[in-house]
Amino acid sequence: MTSKIAVVGSGPSGMYAADALLQQGLEVDVFDKLPVPFGLVRYGVAPDHVSIRSVRDTLDQVWDKPGIRFFGNVEVGRDISIEELRSGYEAVILTYGASSDRRLGIEGEDLAGSVAATDFVAWYTGYPDYSGPDFDAQLPKVSSVAVIGVGNVAVDVVRVLSKSEDELAQTDMPRHVLDTLRDAPIRRVVLVGRRGPVQASFTTKELKELGELAEASVEVRGPDLDLDEWSEGQLADNKVASRNVGVLREWIERPARQDAERSIDMRFFSRPVGIDGSDCVERLKLERTRLTSEGRLEGTGEFEDLDVDLVVRSVGYRGEPMPDVPFDSGNNVIPNVDGRVLDGDTALTGVYVAGWIKRGPTGIIGTNKKCAVGTVASVLADREAGLLTPADGSAVVGSLADRGIVPVDVAGWRAIDAKEKEHGAAQGRPRETVSSTAELLAISATAHAT
Ligand SMILES: Cc1cc2nc3c(=O)[nH]c(=O)nc-3n(C[C@H](O)[C@H](O)[C@H](O)COP(=O)(O)OP(=O)(O)OC[C@H]3O[C@@H](n4cnc5c(N)ncnc54)[C@H](O)[C@@H]3O)c2cc1C
């Protein structure tokens, strides 16, 4: 019997963990609830960031190695339980990510037209059977958008909403998404941050891109760059913030572009306090803020209404618990020490965690590699210490078959990959994402047709 390790999730952390295990000569079964692998590299990273998305090619090479199998379209916690995985495998590594949204907790947040960035990103990346707000119906009526948040995801959303048809032409977005974005009458996109530019978490490369768009001009308010004592103090130790402030100051000096079809309006020190409208979003209510000399945020009592048709809330991703797995609901992560899942003070034998659900939604894709390798080191040490019981996964494979579940395997994924490239080539693009689960499964099945 060849003992195997189960990895739950085929995002970067799952693929890096699998690769590290394979390098030790171990065998791995990777489960994903979606019919396709790579998690947020496929359904998060902005489609116009072609070079970052090409990380997929590196992750894809892991499937070519001996000893790995893919079980796509199998949701752990629904189709198979953690207990079944624990008894069916020598160890289980949970890498299922953190893909829910955080809320603002303000009045009007549930009005039609107030949406989470998680939904908007899922729509434009072609998440299988996307079932969130109907952007194909909404965007044709939207001329003004507020994006709340000052991280890289907020900047992605602003950029995707502001790019021209030509600038999006080479992406792998589904055709209907490209058509909807092309026809949307968007004239103004406002980026709203509660604190100042020094406290923003976007990176300089992403910020600069906003100033280089074909049809959009960026506007920054001069007073937002008159830094208070606290922010000046922070700049000294923060190179990214210092570069960001430099870029924003350059933009203030730049003459306004007369030819721009759209404006990107950057508003710092503006706290959303309510969203207003009769049936759908009509206004975002903001309060001007400032920082105290200790860096505390306080309202100034000056309010302003921003007329907008769409509010996109981009204030962070959040992990969710998995049935029968301990969860730290304060930090929305699985409690662990060096990747060993903790139940109270004791490690749960044979259960490990890596990636966003271990650390929270921070860091770049590469951060997950170090994180996954660290977790695999704990698995190896526990094996060495004789703490794990060998098992080859056959009981789990048998249970899936008994339940009528036909997982997407590597050959199925390869068929999907080839078909998406073929759809793209027909339109002069590298790929077009297939966004229907039924279609993905039908294409996968062709890999096994006799
Ligand atoms: C909008 C957005 C843009 C980003 N852009 C960049 C960027 O430009 N550059 C960069 O370096 N980083 C970027 N990131 C961060 C990067 O995507 C993450 O660091 C990385 O994807 C986290 O990896 P992960 O494997 O922990 O989680 P994920 O990538 O989320 O993978 C988790 C996987 O688990 C699966 N899963 C979930 N639940 C289950 C279940 N019950 N059973 C089975 N499978 C399950 C999911 O389907 C998914 O495939 C971005 C993130 C977001 C949200």
Side-chain angles (χ1 to χ4, degrees):
M1 173 182 81
T2 312
S3 190
K4 291 188 199 301
I5 314 285
V7 172
V8 179
S10 63
S13 52
M15 296 308 292
Y16 290 133
D19 197 23
L21 292 162
L22 294 172
Q23 283 174 28
Q24 297 301 317
L26 297 174
E27 297 200 353
V28 189
D29 284 351
V30 180
F31 293 82
D32 205 291
K33 67 176 179 181
L34 297 180
V36 286
F38 310 143
L40 287 171
V41 172
R42 199 176 144 102
Y43 299 115
V45 174
D48 61 328
H49 276 172
V50 176
S51 70
I52 303 173
R53 276 174 88 80
S54 67
V55 169
R56 281 198 286 206
D57 301 338
T58 315
L59 300 180
D60 211 15
Q61 290 168 10
V62 179
W63 298 125
D64 294 331
K65 300 190 177 184
I68 187 168
R69 298 191 294 185
F70 182 44
F71 292 80
N73 205 36
V74 177
E75 183 169 337
V76 175
R78 187 194 67 181
D79 299 325
I80 197 91
S81 70
I82 283 290
E83 281 315 315
E84 286 172 292
L85 288 185
R86 281 185 77 185
S87 57
Y89 288 90
E90 183 167 353
V92 182
I93 308 184
L94 300 168
T95 67
Y96 65 85
S99 50
S100 293
D101 67 301
R102 282 182 185 274
R103 295 183 55 87
L104 287 169
I106 60 172
E107 210 168 307
E109 199 168 352
D110 293 317
L111 267 177
S114 160
V115 302
T118 45
D119 280 333
F120 189 59
V121 170
W123 171 75
Y124 71 60
T125 54
Y127 193 88
D129 292 355
Y130 166 78
S131 61
D134 185 355
F135 293 109
D136 292 290
Q138 275 180 28
L139 282 184
K141 296 179 229 147
V142 169
S143 68
S144 186
V145 185
V147 179
I148 300 173
V150 281
N152 278 339
V153 176
V155 173
D156 283 350
V157 169
V158 170
R159 198 181 59 254
V160 166
L161 286 167
S162 308
K163 275 199 163 176
S164 66
E165 181 182 8
D166 280 354
E167 286 172 306
L168 294 176
Q170 284 305 303
T171 67
D172 57 16
M173 290 175 176
R175 184 74 253 163
H176 72 95
V177 171
L178 285 177
D179 292 346
T180 302
L181 287 170
R182 179 196 60 213
D183 295 340
I186 297 166
R187 291 287 165 267
R188 186 182 188 213
V189 183
V190 188
L191 185 76
V192 177
R194 292 189 315 148
R195 293 165 186 268
V198 174
Q199 291 78 35
S201 54
F202 46 64
T203 44
T204 313
K205 183 172 165 288
E206 275 66 25
L207 175 66
K208 272 186 167 169
E209 268 183 274
L210 295 182
E212 292 158 3
L213 302 185
E215 293 179 353
S217 68
V218 187
E219 285 164 28
V220 183
R221 297 189 297 187
D224 285 357
L225 271 296
D226 293 339
L227 300 185
D228 50 83
E229 202 186 317
W230 170 261
S231 299
E232 281 290 0
Q234 283 199 311
L235 262 196
D237 305 324
N238 187 335
K239 285 207 181 88
V240 176
S242 170
R243 281 197 290 263
N244 288 346
V245 166
V247 170
L248 293 164
R249 285 196 169 133
E250 253 174 54
W251 286 348
I252 294 177
E253 302 299 324
R254 266 199 326 202
R257 272 175 56 185
Q258 302 305 326
D259 61 330
E261 299 247 329
R262 292 172 179 152
S263 72
I264 297 173
D265 186 352
M266 309 214 38
R267 269 165 192 258
F268 297 97
F269 295 110
S270 298
R271 167 160 76 188
V273 288
I275 302 172
D276 215 12
S278 30
D279 315 312
C280 59
V281 170
E282 291 170 30
R283 280 170 303 279
L284 173 66
K285 298 174 93 58
L286 297 173
E287 181 182 16
R288 185 94 180 133
T289 61
R290 64 181 160 231
L291 293 174
T292 65
S293 55
E294 293 89 46
R296 241 183 326 103
L297 185 79
E298 62 180 22
T300 60
E302 284 168 57
F303 294 90
E304 166 187 25
D305 279 353
L306 209 60
D307 289 336
V308 288
D309 317 297
L310 181 71
V311 172
V312 184
R313 310 176 310 259
S314 178
V315 289
Y317 280 60
R318 186 168 52 89
E320 295 279 359
M322 159 97 53
D324 303 320
V325 177
F327 194 68
D328 170 354
S329 49
N331 297 306
N332 299 310
V333 293
I334 295 179
N336 70 94
V337 172
D338 299 333
R340 293 181 181 90
V341 173
L342 287 182
D343 189 6
D345 292 335
T346 16
L348 209 58
T349 309
V351 189
Y352 304 81
V353 62
W356 270 17
I357 195 62
K358 172 182 172 189
R359 317 186 307 276
T362 57
I364 57 170
I365 293 169
T367 317
N368 299 296
K369 184 166 189 176
K370 194 163 173 248
C371 176
V373 168
T375 296
V376 166
S378 295
V379 177
L380 298 175
D382 291 353
R383 272 189 109 227
E384 196 67 26
L387 298 177
L388 306 180
T389 312
D392 67 359
S394 55
V396 169
V397 175
S399 300
L400 289 174
D402 292 347
R403 287 164 206 173
I405 295 167
V406 183
V408 174
D409 61 6
V410 174
W413 156 239
R414 293 273 184 247
I416 293 168
D417 190 36
K419 185 58 89 181
E420 288 189 332
K421 287 177 177 156
E422 194 184 308
H423 283 326
Q427 303 167 50
R429 308 196 261 154
R431 174 193 293 271
E432 184 190 7
T433 302
V434 173
S435 56
S436 137
T437 302
E439 195 179 340
L440 289 166
L441 295 180
I443 302 168
S444 162
T446 61
H448 302 286
T450 44

